[in-house]
Amino acid sequence: MKGNIPLYHALIDYVKKRKLSFHMPGHQQGKGIPRQFKRDILSIDLTELDGTDNLHAPAGPIREAQQMASAAFGAQHSFLLVNGATCGIQAMIASVCNPGDVLIVDRNCHSSVISALILCGVTPRYVYPEYIPALGLIGGMNPGSIESALNRYPEAKGVMITSPTYYGLCSDLYAIAEIVHRHDKVFLVDEAHGAHFCFHEGLPQSALQAKADMCVQGAHKTLPALTQSAFLHVGSDKVDLERLKNCLRLFQSSSPSFILMAYLDIGRSIMADNGHALLDKQLYLAEELRNSVNRMGKAYCLGKELMGNHYICDMDLTRGVINFIQSGLTGYRAADELNTKYDIQVEMADIYNIVSIVSAAHSEENMHLFAKAINDMACKTAQKGRICRSAPARFFAEYAVSPREAAFKPTETLELKKADNRICADTITCFPPGIPILCPGEVISYDMIHYILNLKDDGGKVLGISDDLKIRVLKI
C-alpha cells in the first residue's frame, strides 16, 4: 500500500522524524494554531452551499471575513487568495496595466512577477537594487532610482517593488510611495514575506502603512495560515475595484478551497487578538539566536547594524539570516549538515547564507540547540580559505527584449556553456528564493554562465536549465 501512495507516506514519514523546523508555513505543523481549531480538517472541506458563501461573489461569511481582514491589516478592501501570493501579483498587474503598457519593476522581484508580465503582456522597465558582495545579498532599493525611472519612462502606469526580501530586508517604502504618487502613478508592493508587520511596532512599517495602493501578502509564510493562502489588500482610491475583482476571477480557481479560506480567517483572528504578544516572543527568541551565533563567532547572523546601509531602511528581526561567507562553508552545505546531522531544517539556503524563520512556537531551548549546531558544524567542517563563489561583476543581466516577446518567439536549445551573448527564452531561477537569475529577454553573459554552473556545483537547485545543462535561447 505504501508504494501506491508515495506522496502521502513521504509526508507522514517526514513528520515522524520530528525535526526542529525553522521554515514555512507559519503555523509550524499546527503548533501555532489554538486547540479549538484543530478539528478534523476534512469535515470542513466544503463547497459553495447555502451558508458557506462564494469567493467570487461574496455576500455572507466570506465577505465578512474579508471586511475583518481589512480592519486588521489597515486596508480599504481585502481579498482572500487561495492560489498563493502569485495570483495576487497577477491580478494587481492586470488590474493596473493593459497589454503593451509599461510598468517599472525592481529586478529583485520574484519569478511570479515575471510570469505575470508575460501573461499580461506588460513591458517592464527594471530598476536595480544594490548588491552587497560581503554578504552575497541584494540590499534595498534606492528611491532616487525610482525617481529617475519615472522621469525616463513617463508612460509607465506604475511601480512595483518587493519589500521585504526573502531575507527580511526592507526598502524605504514611504519615500518611494511619495515619489510614485507625486508622479501620479500607482504603487504596488509584493509584501509576500511581511504579512505580520502591522501587528507589532518593533517590525518594519507595512506597505499599507507606507501608503501603497495595493499589496500582496503570503499569509502562510509568517502567519498561522495554510500553505498557498494569501491576502491582497487595497490601500487607496487609485484602484479600479471592479476591474480588480474581474482579474481575481481570471487568476483564482473557480473551485476555491474553503479550508484555505477558513484558516486565513483563523490566522487573521489569532493575529488581531494575540499577534503583539506572539511577536514579542518571536522577536525575543530571534534576538537570542542572533546573540548566540554572533557571540560564538563562527558565523554571522544579520542584525540592526545593516539598517541605514545599502538602502536598507529596516529589517524583519524575526528572521534569522546566517551568513557563512568567512567560514569556508557554503550556505547549501550548512543547510545540508544541519538537516542530516542535527535534524534541523531551515527555510532556505543560497551560496552564502541560510534563512531560518523563528516562530512563537519555538522555545529558548530550540534557539540554544540551533546556535550550538551552527557552531559545532562550523568548527568541524570549515576549511582553510573561502570556498564560497563570487557573484558576477554585473549581478543582473542586460535587458534586450520584453519577457512576453522572448517567451513566445522561436527558440533553440544550446549547451549552457555555448550560450554566451544569446538572449534567454526562459526564467532561470534558483528556487528558493525564486528571484530570477535570468529573465526571458535578458542577455546571457559569460560571467552569468559560470555563476549558474557554480550554483549547481555547490548544491543549488536551478530551475530552467535541463539536467544535461542546456538552455533555451531565442533563435537568431
Side-chain angles (χ1 to χ4, degrees), residues 209-227:
Q209 290 167 334
K211 308 301 181 185
D213 297 302
M214 273 192 286
C215 70
V216 170
Q217 299 169 340
H220 70 98
K221 299 181 188 300
T222 56
L223 302 187
L226 302 189
T227 299

Side-chain angles (χ1 to χ4, degrees), residues 128-362:
Y128 297 91
E130 186 166 321
Y131 179 64
I132 312 170
L135 298 175
L137 291 174
I138 302 298
M141 183 58 60
N142 179 359
S145 297
I146 305 298
E147 181 96 64
S148 297
L150 286 166
N151 289 331
R152 186 175 180 184
Y153 304 108
E155 72 277 18
K157 287 297 185 75
V159 173
M160 182 158 188
I161 295 297
T162 304
S163 185
T165 68
Y166 212 130
Y167 303 87
L169 307 180
C170 299
S171 297
D172 189 344
L173 295 184
Y174 187 86
I176 294 172
E178 190 279 326
I179 292 166
V180 174
H181 292 149
R182 181 159 31 87
H183 285 261
D184 196 27
K185 307 296 182 182
V186 178
F187 185 35
L188 312 177
V189 179
D190 175 359
E191 196 179 30
H193 294 270
H196 54 311
F197 284 179
C198 70
F199 297 104
H200 200 286
E201 69 281 356
L203 293 172
Q205 188 178 47
S206 74
L208 290 170
Q209 290 167 334
K211 308 301 181 185
D213 297 302
M214 273 192 286
C215 70
V216 170
Q217 299 169 340
H220 70 98
K221 299 181 188 300
T222 56
L223 302 187
L226 302 189
T227 299
Q228 200 175 303
S229 60
F231 291 105
L232 188 157
H233 301 297
V234 175
S236 81
D237 297 328
K238 295 174 77 70
V239 177
D240 182 337
L241 275 179
E242 292 309 309
R243 176 164 173 166
L244 176 61
K245 290 175 184 178
N246 283 331
C247 291
L248 283 169
R249 293 187 193 104
L250 285 175
F251 295 113
Q252 291 234 73
S253 170
S254 59
S255 301
S257 166
F258 276 78
I259 295 173
L260 295 183
M261 290 188 286
Y263 277 85
L264 274 171
D265 201 21
I266 289 169
R268 181 274 312 159
S269 174
I270 291 170
M271 296 306 292
D273 293 342
N274 299 304
H276 194 277
L278 293 171
L279 288 164
D280 266 343
K281 182 180 178 183
Q282 284 177 245
L283 286 164
Y284 169 76
L285 292 174
E287 192 63 20
E288 287 289 294
L289 173 66
R290 190 171 292 109
N291 290 338
S292 296
V293 169
N294 291 339
R295 185 166 55 247
M296 292 170 181
K298 300 299 181 182
Y300 164 52
C301 190
L302 278 59
K304 294 179 181 179
E305 63 280 354
L306 289 181
M307 291 161 53
N309 300 302
H310 310 290
Y311 300 105
I312 298 168
C313 175
D314 211 336
M315 293 180 62
D316 177 6
L317 293 173
T318 68
R319 193 154 291 215
V321 181
I322 301 167
N323 183 275
F324 295 91
I325 205 165
Q326 298 299 327
S327 72
L329 282 168
T330 64
Y332 297 126
R333 184 174 174 186
D336 182 66
E337 293 267 344
L338 286 167
N339 182 33
T340 57
K341 296 184 178 180
Y342 299 91
D343 281 336
I344 295 173
Q345 181 67 59
V346 296
E347 167 61 25
M348 64 152 285
D350 61 27
I351 290 185
Y352 310 93
N353 307 277
I354 60 172
V355 176
S356 60
I357 300 177
V358 177
S359 163
H362 289 125

